Amino acid sequence: HMTLWCMVSAPLLLGCDLERLDEFTLNLLTNDEVLAVSQDALGRQGVTVSKEGPEDALRVYAKDLEDGSKAVALFNLGETQAVVTARWSDLKLSGRQTVRDLWRHKDLGRFETQFAMTIAPHGAELIKICAD
């Protein structure tokens, strides 16, 4: 839910007692790198750049950011874990790119033509891609 919310730059509405949030939920809602995608100054919404797999269950969404990088959301709408691939050709990128996992605050490396990640069933991941 949070990954999609950040990609569409929409206001987040919470229907819970904020004083009773557990640590996991509080960390989810206050991740600075993830929130920066939602609040990016360009204000652009993410768009679907690819759909693959049975019933198009494996999806990649991309959003241009003010600093010239791209936020990329990888979704697995299927019932089993699957590898979701973000291809530079779909993202209108070329050359070596650096990939960062925004949920885990971790650089994942440099990649030449694509980046792939195993995503849990009904799961999502949020990465940032920028040129070297």
Side-chain angles (χ1 to χ4, degrees), residues 24-43:
F24 174 82
T25 305
L26 184 61
N27 287 332
L28 185 83
L29 297 173
T30 60
N31 181 317
D32 289 341
E33 291 184 56
V34 171
L35 291 174
V37 170
S38 174
Q39 301 300 309
D40 187 74
L42 282 182

